[in-house]
Amino acid sequence: MKSVTRAICVAIFVGGLAACSSTTTWDDIPAEDVAGWKKIGVDATSADAWSDSGFSPEEAGQWRASGFQRAYAVEWKEECFKAEEAAAWKANGFDLKEAVSNRSKGLSPSS
């Protein structure tokens, strides 16, 4: 009986580990988007994360090309910045809060 109980516990533990280590595959991504995600050089897990954050492959590529990681791109996008605009503010030494404040005053990053 002990060995049966032990075997069941081991099976549950191993099964739990397998479930926790599952990753997104290209099969989990809409077929029409796969080529776009691959074109910008992200793996399926990253594509899924960008997509879940509201980015198309094209938008994610623009943000990545502008030097933004997904979390920061989300913050800037939530404030209605496009990738190119956000990059210009950052290149001129502004953080997001400063960029929002200055933009609301009608200023540009080079003002």
Side-chain angles (χ1 to χ4, degrees), residues 2-87:
K2 261 186 174 179
S3 63
V4 172
T5 304
R6 180 178 292 155
I8 291 171
C9 289
V10 169
I12 291 171
F13 178 75
V14 171
L17 286 178
C20 290
S21 66
S22 65
T23 58
T24 302
T25 66
W26 288 115
D27 293 335
D28 301 320
I29 307 294
E32 63 272 11
D33 293 339
V34 171
W37 290 115
K38 287 182 175 181
K39 182 178 179 180
I40 66 168
V42 298
D43 62 20
T45 302
S46 294
D48 190 47
W50 279 96
S51 180
D52 285 350
S53 295
F55 294 89
S56 68
E58 182 181 345
E59 287 176 308
Q62 292 167 353
W63 284 97
R64 287 169 44 91
S66 295
F68 287 85
Q69 295 177 4
R70 184 183 55 83
Y72 295 112
V74 168
E75 292 175 357
W76 285 81
K77 184 178 177 180
E78 285 175 348
E79 294 294 340
C80 300
F81 286 92
K82 299 285 187 195
E84 187 176 302
E85 181 186 14

